[in-house]
């Protein structure tokens, strides 16, 4: 797929704070891109630089192969959906959507019939038909989110930036809007760059997932790759589904706070400092006296608590060095195991399932 947006060595500092520290990326056209990063990692700054609300200190931004660094924000053909929606409370749904079209600097549309037709099309595209005349104060949060998106889409941007677009919605609605946003994007065929602090949202929505860490792109890959092969211990930590150990590699084993883990055949991933990661759902909980196979690793820990969430149970164990270790079991047919409070168990995984960073 051809590249629509390219950033080369973009940096942006506020005083001593390097919000963006050398960003290189190339985004394809007609794709859903998630940008995942912890709070303060530079997500909003990156969107504002792309939109033109902020000027980078150095680097280049190309849109369709042409530099747009000096092009004014409203002439970039890039739409921006703000987290708080920023709707006009005294205007109706249709009036809010028409506003951007009638009042844009470039090529405002003044013919009433054209405005009405375009607004009608976009209202149907985002699924708001029937609510045209409603005040935006009298619709739900999810509907307000659609109005905010429609107001951007009606101006026919060639790319849309969304800053934590689902952050203001409750959990139920958030899950439903994920599928909705993907469907709306497919209908209009432009690239969406969706910023989120939620790993589930980023992995579930993005054709490509970018992970931002301290102003740098730590990984850029499809969601399967990010989930199964996080590029660094920091990415693994941020995904919230890996137990991580710090330590050192010594004679074919990883030596950490709770023992030696023999290494599998796969070569370690290069990283700034050694780490060992095992995913929550790759660990089984067994009786303390369990025997293990040649290719397995075993540690002991005390059960603390379990937490049920839909199709899975997450159980927390205290390791002997005081750290918490998490195990996720998917509930298929079997009833969930129950563990004795403070009971001592063996936690077992396969050598090959661990990710080793060196
Ligand atoms: P995120 O959206 O990932 O939470 P931001 O891009 O908002 O992160 O911020 C990145 C860093 O830059 C933070 O440390 C933040 O405090 C700082 N920052 C952002 N905007 C400004 C600003 N206008 N003035 C000073 N510092 C800022
Ligand atoms: Mg932000």
């Amino acid at each position: 797929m051809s590249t629509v947006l390219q950033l080369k060595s973009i940096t942006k500092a506020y005083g001593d704070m390097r919000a963006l520290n050398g960003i290189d990326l190339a985004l394809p056209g007609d794709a859903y891109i998630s940008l995942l990063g912890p709070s303060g990692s530079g997500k909003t700054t990156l969107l504002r630089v792309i939109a033109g609300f902020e000027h980078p200190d150095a680097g280049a931004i190309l849109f369709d192969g042409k530099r747009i660094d000096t092009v004014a924000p409203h002439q970039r053909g890039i739409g921006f959906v703000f987290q708080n929606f920023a709707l006009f409370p005294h205007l109706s749904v249709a009036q809010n959507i028409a506003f951007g079209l009638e009042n844009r600097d470039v090529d405002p549309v003044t013919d009433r019939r054209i405005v009405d037709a375009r607004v009608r099309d976009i209202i149907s595209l985002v699924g708001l038909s029937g609510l045209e005349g409603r005040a935006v104060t009298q619709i739900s949060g999810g509907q307000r989110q659609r109005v905010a998106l429609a107001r951007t889409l009606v101006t026919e941007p060639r790319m849309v930036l969304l800053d934590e677009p689902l952050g203001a919605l409750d959990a139920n609605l958030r899950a439903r809007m994920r599928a909705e946003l993907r469907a709306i994007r497919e209908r209009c065929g432009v690239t969406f760059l969706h910023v989120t602090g939620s790993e589930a949202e980023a992995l579930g929505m993005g054709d490509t997932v970018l992970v931002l860490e301290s102003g740098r792109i730590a990984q850029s890959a499809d969601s399967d790759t990010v989930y199964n092969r996080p590029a660094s211990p920091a990415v693994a930590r941020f995904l919230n589904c890996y137990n991580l150990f710090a330590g050192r590699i010594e004679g074919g084993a990883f030596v950490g706070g709770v023992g030696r883990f023999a290494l599998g055949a796969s070569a370690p991933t290069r990283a700034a400092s050694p780490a060992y990661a095992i995913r929550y759902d790759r660990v089984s909980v067994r009786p303390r006296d369990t025997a293990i196979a040649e290719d397995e690793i075993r540690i002991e820990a005390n059960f603390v608590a379990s937490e049920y969430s839909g199709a899975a149970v997450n159980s927390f164990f205290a390791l002997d060095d005081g750290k918490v270790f998490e195990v996720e079991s998917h509930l298929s047919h079997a009833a969930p195991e129950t563990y004795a409070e403070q009971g001592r168990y063996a936690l077992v995984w396969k050598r090959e399932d661990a990710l080793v960073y060196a």
Side-chain angles (χ1 to χ4, degrees):
M1 225 180 296
S2 67
T3 295
V4 50
L5 180 80
Q6 198 175 4
L7 268 60
K8 292 182 177 171
S9 310
I10 292 288
T11 58
K12 173 77 191 170
Y14 298 104
D16 292 342
M17 173 70 216
R18 287 208 178 188
L20 301 177
N21 197 5
I23 300 277
D24 288 294
L25 56 82
L27 302 186
D30 198 3
Y32 209 111
I33 318 285
S34 309
L35 175 66
L36 173 69
S39 180
S41 59
K43 304 184 295 296
T44 296
T45 305
L46 182 56
L47 287 198
R48 292 178 57 82
V49 161
I50 294 171
F53 303 140
E54 296 279 0
H55 287 289
D57 300 331
I61 308 173
L62 293 89
F63 198 77
D64 276 347
K66 296 194 191 74
R67 297 270 312 240
I68 56 163
D69 309 58
T70 56
V71 177
H74 59 269
Q75 291 177 324
R76 291 189 180 192
I78 297 175
F80 203 115
V81 178
F82 296 94
Q83 173 166 7
N84 57 10
F85 311 153
L87 303 179
F88 299 114
H90 56 290
L91 298 183
S92 70
V93 166
Q95 287 166 336
N96 260 282
I97 297 169
F99 187 90
L101 203 53
E102 293 165 324
N103 295 283
R104 67 179 171 192
D105 295 319
V106 185
D107 213 2
V109 183
T110 48
D111 186 325
R112 194 72 250 159
R113 282 164 309 176
I114 298 177
V115 171
D116 288 349
R118 292 270 287 280
V119 169
R120 209 176 318 119
D121 286 350
I122 217 78
I123 280 183
S124 134
L125 180 96
V126 301
L128 284 171
S129 299
L131 295 175
E132 294 82 352
R134 204 66 89 73
V136 292
T137 47
Q138 286 165 359
I139 56 177
S140 70
Q143 289 163 343
R144 274 200 289 277
Q145 171 67 74
R146 286 168 214 242
V147 176
L149 184 59
R151 204 172 46 165
T152 301
L153 292 178
V154 79
T155 64
E156 300 182 308
R158 313 218 3 255
M159 179 172 184
V160 177
L161 311 176
L162 306 103
D163 195 0
E164 310 209 24
L166 308 182
L169 308 180
D170 65 50
N172 264 333
L173 197 53
R174 211 151 53 216
R176 235 181 323 135
M177 279 305 288
R178 280 186 201 171
E180 266 298 309
L181 277 180
R182 277 192 60 92
I184 291 168
R185 195 215 66 76
E186 268 167 38
R187 274 175 242 144
C188 57
V190 300
T191 291
F192 276 23
L193 178 57
H194 172 138
V195 159
T196 177
S198 153
E199 66 283 355
E201 197 171 298
L203 296 175
M205 294 187 72
D207 302 314
T208 297
V209 179
L210 305 173
V211 186
L212 197 60
E213 188 212 336
S214 308
R216 286 175 185 276
I217 302 288
Q219 191 162 15
S220 166
D222 60 90
S223 49
D224 266 5
T225 304
V226 173
Y227 184 57
N228 291 306
R229 303 240 139 238
S232 67
V235 174
R237 180 172 306 107
F238 189 54
L239 291 176
N240 237 337
C241 58
Y242 283 89
N243 294 293
L244 277 153
F245 296 93
R248 61 185 194 280
I249 289 172
E250 197 180 273
F254 184 89
V255 184
V258 291
R260 290 173 69 88
F261 307 146
L263 299 183
S266 328
T269 304
R270 284 168 55 101
S273 54
Y276 186 97
I278 182 71
R279 219 164 74 193
Y280 299 165
D281 63 354
R282 295 294 169 90
V283 181
S284 60
V285 181
R286 303 200 199 153
R288 191 181 177 185
D289 57 7
T290 196
I292 58 163
E294 172 74 17
D295 63 345
E296 289 180 323
I297 305 287
R298 169 191 188 285
I299 57 174
E300 284 188 11
N302 296 326
F303 175 67
V304 177
S306 285
E307 196 176 273
Y308 291 79
S309 59
V313 184
N314 288 66
S315 299
F316 302 90
F317 292 82
L319 300 176
D320 292 341
D321 65 358
K323 297 220 171 64
V324 174
F325 189 97
E326 189 167 343
V327 180
E328 181 172 313
S329 315
H330 292 273
L331 302 173
S332 41
H333 313 291
E337 293 276 346
T338 51
Y339 307 119
E341 205 172 314
Q342 288 305 313
R344 195 144 174 99
Y345 291 90
L347 306 174
V348 180
W349 63 89
K350 284 198 158 53
R351 280 179 197 176
E352 289 300 336
D353 283 341
L355 297 175
V356 182
Y357 299 90

